[in-house]
Amino acid sequence: MVEPGGEEERPLLDSAQNDCPQRKALPALCDPRRLAHRLLVLAFMCFLGFGSYFCYDNPAALQTQVQRDMKVNTATFMALYAWYSWPNVVLCFFGGFLIDRVFGIRLGTVIFSSFVCVGQVIFAMGALFNAFWLMEAGRFVFGIGGESLAVAQNAYAVSWFKGKELNLVFGLQLSMARIGSTVNMNIMGWIYSRVQDLVGSTGHSTLGFTLMIGGVTCIFSLICALILAYLDKRAEKILCKEQGKTGEVIKLTDVKDFSLSLWLIFIICVCYYAAVFPFIGLGKVFFIEKFKFSSQEASAINSIVYIISAPMSPVFGFLVDKLGRNIIWVMFAVVATLASHIMLAFTFWNPWIAMCTLGVAYSLLACALWPMVAFVVPEHQLGTAYGFMQSIQNLGLAIIAIAAGTILDSRGYLFLEVFFSACICLSLIAVVMLYFVNHLTGGDLNWSAKKREKLQKLAAAEAEKREKLRRQNEDDLAKLQPKNDFSLRNRYLSKLGAQLPDNYASYLPALAHRSVLK
Amino acid sequence: MLGGSRLLLAGLWLLGSFSCLRGDAGGYRRKVTLQSVPGSNSSSANLLHVRAVGRNDTLHYVWSSIGAPTVLLLYSRSQSSALRVNWTKLLSASPAGAIWIEPPSSVVYATAVVFTKVFEYSGANVSALSKGQEEPFYPPYDLADFSWQSVNHTVNQTALTAKFQGVNTSDPGGTLGNGTISFQVTAYEQGGRDGPLPRLLHTANSSKVEFIMDHVAPRGNSSRFMLEVVTVEEKGGRKKLQSVRSIDDEYTPTIFEMAQLVSEPRNDSIGPSFFQWKTTAYGSREASRENAIRCRYHPLQTANRTLPEPSIAHAYFGEGLGRSHHIAAINISFGGEDGEVYAEMGYLSWSALLGFGPPPKDAFSPLVMAIVAVALGAPVVLLLAGGLVVLFARRKRHSQYEPIN
């Protein structure tokens, strides 16, 4: 493993002490050392991902229109989602590598943004020329950019806000992503009807123009990428800092060392998300046909999962951190999701109940499941584990999306919901097995936070002692290390045998993959 | 794990065998003959007789294109009852009494369904129609004015199907163009389910009619079509419109509603008569979900309805049809606010089931029940098994410690 340079770890403020030429005082908004400027950068960072999140769910928002105008069945329609996922089965192993070693974060971000833009334009052209294969190609190009852009976005956040407001920044970025999805769900149908009034009829060209208008958000995001690149370059000059990095290291041979617990977590992840995202992709027609919702109502209820998870994620993150017992939380979330799918399948109860349950369960799962990986994987394999997880998640999503479309065409929504419930049950089986495996092997996944804290204190004390011995003359640097739960946890892990680089920022690789949380 | 999967397989097999047993029990079989009644010289005067003989009764379905397309549903208590037709009277101006069942006293229940008109209207804004606002209606097609091709060539004795195909003669070379409107009839010997969509479940006491519009040129940019169906019930009986919403759309994907006209319950063994349909039509010969056309129905009209002449309902029920019978009409429209499927495909097919007895109801398929049982059962089984293993392991560990203490 290559040790990241000390340069990267050092906060921005301190680098002014280097032999950088001292500049004259700048206005607060233009000075990279000041909060006001960082907030400006934060705004651009948030809008950087807006376009890709907005356009990702364009097909779901326009399902009836796409199927009618392009004359495709549901299985073919769902291929639009599958084509987004295919490149990411491979690419999520290389996103970090491309940013760190090949392009650098600035050029990388611009390139990925351009891919997103070009992809959306091709997608819209496919509709304009009535060529569905071109639409699929568009989604493929869009997928190449989309997922890697999220990694780049996180790397930017780390490079600008490390040791400061990082958690808040990640929270904001995530909320922005969800706002993008929600706005898309609720506005694309309206844009389509406006374009329809303008053109005078429905048809593939109406769809094409609508998607082109949706693509404006991607152009907007590309502009944000360019501005960010300029600001980052400028800050680099002023502060003499290094370009941001994801710091992730992927070694595919690590896969053979993955524990049973990790594989079970993978199964939970794939089966769970496969029953949520494809369902949202196909949900609109379901609410219109089964519950007699109007098109607008159906869009609203279909986006409620995203709306709920925006404020609930931080709350649950806090709760899970305080209480521990991750497996119980995951089990609870999976059971709640199962209940909501069963409600949707077998009752005519108001679907808002089921969808709100789903939204809450989905947020809870994200907060409890993803940190578990860090417990069962040694530090140096964390990047590989998350990359692998993301890869098979994309693979699962692509396959299940097509399967879901086929099932819907041939056997209808009841069977589809039963199929999703079966996926959730598979996930539940994996959770139960994980519980017992963890119990029998004496793992720490289900400890309460109290117990964990006790052990962590022990470990931390030991680690600190060791560290003091090792770098007595560098103790001022040690103080700068973030003292959050995560780093303490990883010190505990390092005690178990994983040798950590001295100033390894343990949360970087994990957070670089937050895009998976969508 | 291995034991668990074997258990699951056994459960699946058990469920499968149960469903087979159930299927056998419902397999009541009738002996069905379907033939065109000979005796007329005019090709348009078709009379199709479906005779379904059961254990101690006979169902007669008499389909005809004399006048408006009509079907008579007659339930006879005799296995040897037969249809009699007086052709000269039937084709005369006063056809009352031209059709009867021999012996007449064996008929305990008679009802009729008449397809009278096809309306066409501009349907860019269908919500206006439900609000009762004036819709730009085009002159309707009166199905009684159509010229119907001979049904002889379309009778299929093995598949028990026949097709009435009509072209508009009152307006030659006119708006209908070379389009046709047809009624495809299918009779059933026993209970089961159709292969093609909408996959209606049928019993041995029912028949299916499929209304097909082929290449009928729409007169406007956003034309919608609407079929008027009139039912005739004997005095005292009365048809009611019911909407059966089901969570089960397995057989007709994304369609959750079945609409049906059911007569009042009767005391005899055969029960009520029904006319039921799923709220969907299809825009292609190969019906599938992506060419589905939204199908709506409008409230049942019962006040002051008369049955327009001529039709064989008049020939069977006689002069007193207006006074002593209960007549109800319903409009069934095809195409929603944004459905231009018909304009693109130039084809529309809509199926309905008619017959005696309680209307068939969809039930969960064994496959769905098996998946649900296995999927919900497996985690519970695993939880119990795991709990036992953990308990056992703990006790074992405990017993190892005890001697030390």
Side-chain angles (χ1 to χ4, degrees), chain A residues 63 67-68 71-74 285-286 288-290 292 338 342 345-348 408-415 418 422 425 428-429 432-433 436 439-440, chain B residues 1 199 245-250 253-257 289-290 294 338 340 344 364-365 367-368 371-372 375-376 378-379 382-383 386-387 389-390 393-394:
Chain A
Q63 189 195 340
Q67 287 199 246
R68 187 189 57 215
K71 296 181 194 65
V72 292
N73 62 20
T74 317
V285 175
F286 177 63
I288 293 175
E289 295 291 342
K290 183 167 177 179
K292 308 248 173 223
L338 180 62
I342 285 177
F346 294 105
T347 70
F348 276 110
L408 177 58
D409 278 339
S410 59
R411 292 194 168 252
Y413 272 112
L414 177 79
F415 201 94
V418 166
C425 281
L428 184 59
I429 291 172
V432 171
M433 280 176 71
F436 288 120
H439 193 94
L440 291 174
Chain B
M1 275 309 275
R199 297 199 192 111
R245 292 233 283 146
S246 156
I247 57 165
D248 192 357
D249 68 333
E250 185 181 348
T254 73
I255 306 301
F256 294 90
E257 186 179 6
R289 205 178 81 74
E290 67 260 31
R294 191 174 286 276
D338 51 358
E340 303 293 344
E344 284 161 18
F364 290 143
S365 71
L367 186 61
V368 164
I371 293 175
V372 169
L376 291 181
L382 191 70
L383 205 64
V389 167
V390 167
R394 191 175 290 169

Side-chain angles (χ1 to χ4, degrees), chain B residues 133-148:
Chain B
Q133 285 167 10
E134 200 61 33
E135 273 290 312
F137 273 93
Y138 299 96
Y141 297 111
D142 193 341
L143 293 179
D145 295 341
F146 274 46
S147 139
W148 299 90

Side-chain angles (χ1 to χ4, degrees), chain B residues 88-291:
Chain B
T88 41
K89 197 167 187 189
L90 181 62
L91 299 175
S92 73
S94 57
I99 293 176
W100 71 98
I101 295 289
E102 197 66 44
S105 60
S106 72
V107 177
V108 290
Y109 185 28
T111 177
V113 177
V114 188
F115 303 94
T116 47
K117 285 186 177 108
V118 173
F119 297 98
E120 185 179 356
Y121 60 95
S122 168
N125 191 1
V126 171
S127 56
L129 188 73
S130 52
K131 282 178 201 148
Q133 285 167 10
E134 200 61 33
E135 273 290 312
F137 273 93
Y138 299 96
Y141 297 111
D142 193 341
L143 293 179
D145 295 341
F146 274 46
S147 139
W148 299 90
Q149 286 170 18
S150 171
V151 80
N152 274 333
H153 316 296
T154 60
V155 170
N156 184 338
Q157 293 284 1
T158 47
L160 296 174
T161 59
K163 191 173 186 179
F164 294 88
Q165 193 168 49
V167 291
N168 195 358
T169 45
S170 63
D171 181 21
T175 50
L176 200 60
N178 53 1
T180 57
I181 287 179
S182 12
F183 291 88
Q184 165 116 25
V185 177
T186 309
Y188 299 113
E189 288 187 313
Q190 59 180 345
R193 191 182 289 282
D194 282 349
L197 287 170
R199 297 199 192 111
L200 291 172
L201 181 69
H202 58 78
T203 62
N205 301 338
S206 57
S207 292
K208 187 181 77 169
V209 59
E210 196 180 345
F211 166 70
I212 300 165
M213 289 177 66
D214 197 359
H215 285 100
V216 174
R219 282 173 278 187
N221 271 338
S222 53
S223 271
R224 304 283 183 274
F225 293 92
M226 185 157 78
L227 177 67
E228 185 186 61
V229 181
V230 179
T231 65
V232 180
E233 280 283 318
E234 284 165 318
K235 205 68 179 176
R238 178 182 284 267
K239 279 223 162 60
K240 279 198 180 122
L241 176 63
Q242 296 173 342
S243 157
V244 181
R245 292 233 283 146
S246 156
I247 57 165
D248 192 357
D249 68 333
E250 185 181 348
Y251 300 104
T252 322
T254 73
I255 306 301
F256 294 90
E257 186 179 6
M258 175 86 92
Q260 54 196 28
L261 288 171
V262 185
S263 68
E264 273 166 357
R266 298 164 54 87
N267 293 330
D268 52 40
S269 58
I270 195 66
S273 70
F274 66 88
F275 180 78
Q276 75 168 190
W277 66 97
K278 291 248 176 156
T279 55
T280 183
Y282 293 95
S284 165
R285 261 168 250 272
E286 281 83 41
S288 70
R289 205 178 81 74
E290 67 260 31
N291 56 45

Side-chain angles (χ1 to χ4, degrees), chain A residues 176-482:
Chain A
M176 204 60 198
R178 298 208 165 118
I179 290 169
S181 303
T182 310
V183 170
N184 158 67
M185 287 282 188
N186 290 293
I187 210 175
M188 285 310 279
W190 178 82
I191 294 181
Y192 185 92
S193 61
R194 283 285 83 80
V195 174
Q196 184 188 333
D197 289 347
L198 220 68
V199 177
S201 70
T202 62
H204 56 86
S205 43
T206 312
L207 182 68
F209 285 126
T210 309
L211 292 175
M212 279 294 182
I213 293 171
V216 169
T217 56
C218 294
I219 306 273
F220 177 64
S221 289
L222 179 61
I223 294 170
C224 285
L226 291 168
I227 296 174
L228 263 182
Y230 166 74
L231 289 178
D232 198 60
K233 183 98 186 160
R234 181 168 162 276
E236 186 185 81
K237 260 191 216 144
I238 296 175
L239 305 174
C240 294
K241 71 170 185 125
E242 214 178 80
Q243 221 180 143
K245 285 194 170 155
T246 63
E248 72 175 36
V249 178
I250 297 216
K251 231 170 99 192
L252 283 177
T253 48
D254 286 345
V255 173
K256 68 180 191 312
D257 301 326
F258 286 171
S259 63
L260 177 61
S261 297
L262 187 61
W263 287 107
L264 287 173
I265 291 175
F266 287 170
I267 293 174
I268 298 169
C269 168
V270 171
C271 294
Y272 186 88
Y273 285 101
V276 173
F277 290 128
F279 173 68
I280 291 175
L282 290 169
K284 202 177 163 189
V285 175
F286 177 63
F287 296 114
I288 293 175
E289 295 291 342
K290 183 167 177 179
F291 297 100
K292 308 248 173 223
F293 274 34
S294 72
S295 184
Q296 286 91 343
E297 277 179 305
S299 297
I301 194 170
N302 209 21
S303 58
I304 191 73
V305 173
Y306 294 135
I307 295 175
I308 287 182
S309 69
M312 288 311 261
S313 292
V315 176
F316 282 134
F318 180 78
L319 219 68
V320 172
D321 258 4
K322 283 287 159 237
L323 296 175
R325 300 203 179 275
N326 290 44
I327 298 185
I328 297 294
W329 289 117
V330 170
M331 202 180 289
F332 184 75
V334 171
V335 169
T337 308
L338 180 62
S340 70
H341 268 301
I342 285 177
M343 254 188 264
L344 288 171
F346 294 105
T347 70
F348 276 110
W349 296 352
N350 194 332
W352 285 98
I353 304 171
M355 287 307 275
C356 290
T357 314
L358 182 64
V360 171
Y362 164 80
S363 330
L364 180 58
L365 183 110
C367 294
L369 179 70
W370 293 88
M372 282 210 294
V373 176
F375 289 102
V376 297
V377 171
E379 182 68 46
H380 66 278
Q381 292 180 349
L382 214 50
T384 317
Y386 275 113
F388 198 77
M389 197 162 172
Q390 197 178 3
S391 167
I392 57 172
Q393 193 198 356
N394 273 302
L395 188 68
L397 279 180
I399 292 168
I400 299 279
I402 292 175
T406 315
I407 289 174
L408 177 58
D409 278 339
S410 59
R411 292 194 168 252
Y413 272 112
L414 177 79
F415 201 94
L416 184 67
E417 278 295 306
V418 166
F419 170 73
F420 284 148
S421 302
C423 284
I424 296 282
C425 281
L426 207 60
S427 171
L428 184 59
I429 291 172
V431 180
V432 171
M433 280 176 71
L434 181 64
Y435 177 84
F436 288 120
V437 166
N438 182 59
H439 193 94
L440 291 174
T441 57
D444 60 351
L445 286 180
N446 209 21
W447 287 348
S448 69
K450 234 182 213 169
K451 193 173 176 190
R452 217 173 257 164
E453 208 177 335
K454 224 195 249 165
L455 282 156
Q456 275 167 2
K457 261 185 198 150
L458 266 174
E462 205 166 303
E464 221 145 289
K465 217 192 285 169
R466 211 173 38 177
E467 228 159 66
K468 247 182 205 159
L469 280 173
R470 206 185 311 158
R471 335 193 269 147
Q472 264 170 340
N473 46 356
E474 282 185 284
D475 56 347
D476 54 341
L477 226 152
K479 270 184 210 141
L480 288 171
Q481 287 216 320

